[in-house]
Amino acid sequence: MGKSRRLIELMMAVNRKRKFTVKELAEEFGVSTRTMLRDLQELSGMGVPLYSQVGAGGGYQVLTERTLPPISFTENEAFSIFFASHALRHFSSLPFEASAESALRKFYRHLSDDVKSQIDEMRHRIDFFTHTRPERAGYLEILLQASIRKLPVTINYGTQKYETNERTIQPIGIYAHEGYWFCPAYCYLRKAFRLFRVDRIWSAVWADAEALPTVDVSEVDLTNWGLHFYSKLESVDIKVKLTAKGIELFRNKGWIFPWGELHSSNDGTGILQMGIFPSEIRFFAEYFFSFGAEAVVLQPVELREAVRRKLVHALEEYNVPNS
């Protein structure tokens, strides 16, 4: 095996093993321990973060920030990577933001001039507009890692930085909508699933999982978390009549409550049924008010009355004579 091929395979091997001895690798690759030491020194010079431990039980270890082996790309694959990055350019916050920018710079530097020219031109020929929000979501990476590793996080949460409360949560994932990032999570304080807006999280640190009650979220992800969101003991059932246009509006805004049940009729209208928390009456009054005449709240009385008050107030504003 040639040296270049051996170094590439060695890079893949150390990333896979994480911890190893020079003797183990020398036997695996069929070289002397002196040759393997030189190869490891070359890998370290190439940026592979190796850490040497001496004494009994010692050896080499790869640090957390591992370096991946070289990968070859076709031109279209290169275009797709920059295309995906360009599509997210209007978000004020992204997970792994600094790492993504660093990776793209490295990638771009090694492209041929003609491919670079096409990528530069593509940036002016296609775009994906979304709401650009001034609020920064500063803890996307730890929330995403926590959801992947199924580990709890302690956060300070609130609309204002100095008016927060401490929560320990088990994130399910993160998603973006209309420029905002959201994190559905199990809340240990409420003993139920809740939805958190990430720009309202002012701090986030790893929690002590052993000190918390065991919560099994292994079957919960972004495709089904809404089914676990409300419990019958604490929810209020609501029923809303929708016109055909109202159904279309609901489907466009259905990200808010993917757990709602919509029953359509032959005439194109429908009935929406779902559960909400009593504390969310104000929020959903604003939501259904935005539908205008395309939605009529049938129950509960509190929500129906809240929407009616907003409609009356709007009508009064239109009844004011022009000055």
Side-chain angles (χ1 to χ4, degrees), residues 294-312:
E294 311 303 333
V296 177
V297 175
L298 303 179
Q299 68 178 55
V301 173
E302 295 88 346
L303 179 58
R304 181 181 174 89
E305 179 61 19
V307 176
R308 191 192 69 80
R309 285 196 301 267
K310 296 185 73 65
L311 290 168
V312 168

Side-chain angles (χ1 to χ4, degrees), residues 118-320:
Q118 292 182 64
I119 287 174
D120 292 341
E121 187 67 21
M122 180 185 71
R123 288 171 172 159
H124 303 290
R125 302 295 179 184
I126 188 169
D127 210 340
F128 296 83
F129 292 105
T130 187
H131 294 282
T132 301
R133 306 291 185 180
E135 298 89 353
R136 293 280 300 174
Y139 296 96
L140 293 171
E141 188 169 332
I142 187 174
L143 296 173
L144 178 58
Q145 290 283 12
S147 67
I148 294 170
R149 296 161 63 185
K150 298 180 178 58
L151 292 174
V153 174
T154 298
I155 63 173
N156 277 300
Y157 188 74
T159 55
Q160 301 293 329
K161 186 173 184 179
Y162 301 105
E163 298 177 3
T164 65
N165 58 77
E166 187 175 278
R167 308 275 192 97
T168 297
I169 63 173
Q170 171 56 69
I172 302 305
I174 56 175
Y175 68 85
H177 183 81
E178 295 188 349
Y180 288 118
W181 283 93
F182 296 87
C183 177
Y186 180 84
C187 176
Y188 286 88
L189 176 65
R190 303 301 184 196
K191 296 182 174 58
F193 288 90
R194 291 291 188 267
L195 182 62
F196 298 89
R197 227 175 78 178
V198 181
D199 62 283
R200 293 177 177 173
I201 295 177
W202 301 97
S203 68
V205 296
W206 296 108
D208 182 3
E210 294 183 0
L212 295 169
T214 301
V215 176
D216 184 10
V217 296
S218 58
E219 301 300 322
V220 187
D221 57 32
L222 290 184
T223 66
N224 62 14
W225 69 271
L227 300 175
H228 303 265
F229 196 69
Y230 292 104
S231 71
K232 289 295 182 182
L233 294 177
E234 60 185 351
S235 67
V236 174
D237 292 330
I238 73 171
K239 184 182 292 186
V240 182
K241 183 179 180 180
L242 299 173
T243 65
K245 178 67 174 178
I247 291 177
E248 181 181 344
L249 289 171
F250 166 72
R251 286 174 174 160
N252 288 338
K253 300 182 179 184
W255 64 274
I256 296 177
F257 35 83
W259 52 91
E261 295 181 6
L262 180 61
H263 305 280
S264 300
S265 302
N266 292 333
D267 62 358
T269 63
I271 297 292
L272 171 66
Q273 293 180 293
M274 54 176 286
I276 66 171
F277 295 121
S279 60
E280 294 176 320
I281 293 290
R282 183 177 177 183
F283 171 83
F284 281 99
E286 190 77 40
Y287 175 78
F288 288 115
F289 170 73
S290 70
F291 281 59
E294 311 303 333
V296 177
V297 175
L298 303 179
Q299 68 178 55
V301 173
E302 295 88 346
L303 179 58
R304 181 181 174 89
E305 179 61 19
V307 176
R308 191 192 69 80
R309 285 196 301 267
K310 296 185 73 65
L311 290 168
V312 168
H313 178 72
L315 184 60
E316 289 173 348
E317 290 294 315
Y318 278 96
N319 284 336
V320 175

Side-chain angles (χ1 to χ4, degrees), residues 1-28:
M1 181 188 301
K3 182 178 179 180
S4 297
R5 174 68 180 276
R6 187 174 72 245
L7 286 175
I8 291 174
E9 293 197 6
L10 180 59
M11 186 184 294
M12 290 188 287
V14 298
N15 274 289
R16 185 178 65 250
K17 291 176 180 293
R18 300 302 305 277
K19 191 172 183 180
F20 49 86
T21 65
V22 174
K23 183 179 179 181
E24 289 172 354
L25 288 180
E27 291 176 352
E28 180 176 338

